[in-house]
Amino acid sequence: EKCLPQLLFYLGMLPSCLLAGYLSDQFGRKPVLIIFLLLDCLALATLLLVRGYLGYLVTRYLTAAFIGYFVISETLIIEGLKVQYRNIFLAAIWCSFSLGIVVLGLQNIIFSRYIDMVACVIIFNLILLLLYLFGIDESLRWLLVKQKKDRAQYSLNRIAYMNNVTMPKYEEIPVPADEEYSTRDFFVLQKCRTFTLILLQLSTLSFYLLVDFTHTSINSIMSEEYFEEYGFKESELARAQNYILSGCVGVVGVIVTSLMCYLAGRRLTVVLELLLCVVALVLTISMPSMPVVLTTCSYAIRTISPGLLYLSSLYSLEVHITPLRARAVGLSTAGAAFGGILSSIKSFFIPRPHGLHDLITTGIELALVVYVLIWSMKLPETKGRTLPDKIEQMPCTLGITERWVPCKQHDEKVPLLKGQSTSRSSCSDKIAE
């Protein structure tokens, strides 16, 4: 009963992310995002109506089946930002993921009924839907790559009107050719193949570690011994407090990772955080009888894992071309869902590992982290790079000892982002930003 709802959620999340990325690359970011967000609200609303455990499982799967809007929102927002803002804005998006866990814990404390918590989530999603519907325009980069000149001009004129800026009429818009790409190209095109495999492994492993160590801590509070000693009310309060603490740890992890990306670059940050995971797992194996060490290592991994997830999304956005970008993020997030599935299966067969079982599983996790660490050393540095629109603009993977220096920063060169202010000189700068 503990593992099945979690497993069904990740089983719904995996195809949702893949489908959302594909539809977004084909039909545009904003319309697909709105549709998925609306369907997710409807799926959540069914939780208010169903009764019984079986109905809960079905609706649990359905709510995850439309969660792909998270993938599209990342892509849509990042494609409209200047180079220096991508890191901080994506970090804010991933912090919201951890803040959601904090809110879940607070709801457990405030509300006594599950139905009240669901109603709050539906209200929040409806507000988010309205913000995206009326506050965000279609990605100019996607419109230009797809050679939709009129829609691009209309979208830019709307932005200019809202900012009180007069935009000239462009007769010729320099746009790249609209080439057809399929999901198969991730594993066929030479530049995409290695990136895809590395980022899939990174997202799968990091989310597996996050779910495994978080739920191991929470499930220890949900054990029968804990219920018998402290009672149902106290155990529920302890679980809510654990959720709040886990969410706060995740926020700290993403913020620290974002700061490291800003100071040291993406590549070095990935390697350093994976090395810290190796150290934490080695200590877990070598000192299994010391609770202080085990708790410290657990929180270290729960801090690092959200940062690694954020980095896998950041790399997916920055190395892949516009016609494949949303699918790349969807593939990376689907890898994270697969990691959640593996962790749920492990929890089902080994609910409370101890002794030899614990040593073996932690040893396997350590070997996988070392393996991903070696592959991650081949990632290029993308700090300061413009988003690529063509295959030849994509960075290449590097040798393990090759070019450990930051690349030179270049500004995005997207057409139509120039205009003359009719009221104040800073408005044109606002449009360019």
Side-chain angles (χ1 to χ4, degrees):
E1 290 184 358
K2 296 175 185 176
C3 300
L4 193 54
Q6 177 182 310
L7 177 62
L8 286 174
F9 184 84
Y10 296 132
L11 285 173
M13 177 181 170
L14 194 151
S16 174
C17 294
L18 295 175
L19 181 62
Y22 171 78
L23 293 175
S24 177
D25 281 335
Q26 294 296 114
F27 304 107
R29 316 301 193 209
K30 184 175 178 178
V32 180
L33 187 152
I34 297 300
I35 291 171
F36 267 75
L37 192 52
L38 179 61
L39 291 174
D40 191 59
C41 290
L42 294 175
L44 284 168
T46 59
L47 281 171
L48 302 175
L49 305 175
V50 298
R51 294 292 182 271
Y53 184 63
L54 183 60
Y56 167 73
L57 292 179
V58 173
T59 51
R60 178 74 169 166
Y61 177 84
L62 289 177
T63 53
F66 303 112
I67 205 171
Y69 66 84
F70 182 76
V71 170
I72 310 171
S73 64
E74 284 185 78
T75 311
L76 175 61
I77 293 172
I78 295 304
E79 284 184 340
L81 295 174
K82 295 183 75 174
V83 173
Q84 60 266 36
Y85 300 139
R86 290 202 299 255
N87 178 32
I88 187 170
F89 270 82
L90 190 65
I93 294 172
W94 275 96
C95 278
S96 67
F97 177 81
S98 296
L99 286 173
I101 301 175
V102 175
V103 172
L104 179 64
L106 291 173
Q107 286 182 329
N108 273 301
I109 295 174
I110 297 171
F111 299 111
S112 58
R113 298 190 308 165
Y114 178 76
I115 195 171
D116 296 327
M117 293 189 288
V118 175
C120 287
V121 175
I122 294 172
I123 292 171
F124 175 80
N125 276 15
L126 287 174
I127 294 172
L128 192 63
L129 175 64
L130 293 175
L131 288 175
Y132 276 118
L133 189 61
F134 298 106
I136 302 292
D137 284 292
E138 180 59 271
S139 167
L140 280 175
R141 186 180 292 273
W142 182 84
L143 290 172
L144 293 173
V145 167
K146 290 294 182 179
Q147 298 184 336
K148 300 180 183 295
K149 173 182 173 181
D150 293 337
R151 283 184 62 189
Q153 182 74 64
Y154 172 80
S155 181
L156 191 76
N157 288 341
R158 184 172 177 270
I159 298 172
Y161 175 78
M162 292 174 65
N163 288 273
N164 201 21
V165 173
T166 301
M167 304 300 296
K169 176 67 177 178
Y170 285 80
E171 300 298 333
E172 295 295 334
I173 302 178
V175 293
D178 179 19
E179 302 178 47
E180 290 295 328
Y181 295 96
S182 66
T183 306
R184 178 174 169 269
D185 291 327
F186 283 110
F187 303 96
V188 174
L189 295 174
Q190 185 176 0
K191 279 193 172 183
C192 292
R193 184 168 57 243
T194 308
F195 283 130
T196 301
L197 293 175
I198 294 174
L199 297 176
L200 263 177
Q201 293 166 1
L202 180 62
S203 62
T204 301
L205 177 66
S206 55
F207 199 71
Y208 167 84
L209 292 174
L210 176 62
V211 174
D212 185 41
F213 279 82
T214 300
H215 282 276
T216 298
S217 175
I218 294 173
N219 287 342
S220 66
I221 299 173
M222 296 297 292
S223 63
E224 294 178 4
E225 294 84 356
Y226 198 97
F227 277 124
E228 291 175 0
E229 184 174 355
Y230 296 101
F232 178 78
K233 186 176 181 179
E234 287 296 323
S235 62
E236 283 292 299
L237 180 60
R239 184 178 68 160
Q241 292 171 346
N242 203 313
Y243 272 120
I244 294 171
L245 184 58
S246 298
C248 292
V249 166
V251 171
V252 171
V254 174
I255 292 174
V256 171
T257 302
S258 175
L259 185 60
M260 290 174 64
C261 285
Y262 175 75
L263 297 175
R266 284 54 158 152
R267 187 186 187 193
L268 186 59
T269 301
V270 173
V271 173
L272 288 176
E273 293 199 341
L274 286 171
L275 280 173
L276 288 174
C277 277
V278 170
V279 173
L281 290 172
V282 168
L283 290 174
T284 301
I285 293 173
S286 58
M287 303 179 184
S289 59
M290 298 183 64
V292 174
V293 174
L294 295 179
T295 303
T296 303
C297 292
S298 173
Y299 276 104
I301 292 176
R302 290 159 71 177
T303 304
I304 295 168
S305 298
L308 289 173
L309 271 173
Y310 150 73
L311 272 170
S312 67
S313 285
L314 183 60
Y315 259 115
S316 297
L317 288 162
E318 291 185 331
V319 302
H320 288 95
I321 57 175
T322 301
L324 288 174
R325 186 167 294 120
R327 272 173 281 188
V329 181
L331 200 58
S332 174
T333 312
F338 183 65
I341 292 170
L342 293 178
S343 178
S344 301
I345 293 173
K346 177 203 165 189
S347 298
F348 180 79
F349 288 103
I350 313 176
R352 278 182 287 174
H354 59 276
L356 183 60
H357 287 295
D358 198 10
L359 185 64
I360 292 173
T361 54
T362 308
I364 294 172
E365 290 164 358
L366 175 60
L368 290 173
V369 172
V370 173
Y371 170 78
V372 174
L373 169 62
I374 295 171
W375 273 101
S376 297
M377 291 182 180
K378 297 176 68 66
L379 289 170
E381 180 55 63
T382 57
K383 177 186 175 183
R385 290 185 64 96
T386 59
L387 297 178
D389 292 318
K390 300 179 181 180
I391 289 293
E392 54 267 24
Q393 296 172 348
M394 286 181 64
C396 298
T397 52
L398 304 174
I400 292 177
T401 60
E402 189 179 357
R403 289 213 315 254
W404 284 85
V405 292
C407 54
K408 185 177 180 181
Q409 180 167 312
H410 298 279
D411 290 330
E412 293 284 359
K413 295 181 179 179
V414 181
L416 301 174
L417 298 187
K418 294 180 181 179
Q420 296 180 347
S421 171
T422 57
S423 60
R424 54 186 183 273
S425 59
S426 62
C427 286
S428 59
D429 294 333
K430 187 184 294 185
I431 290 294
E433 292 181 1

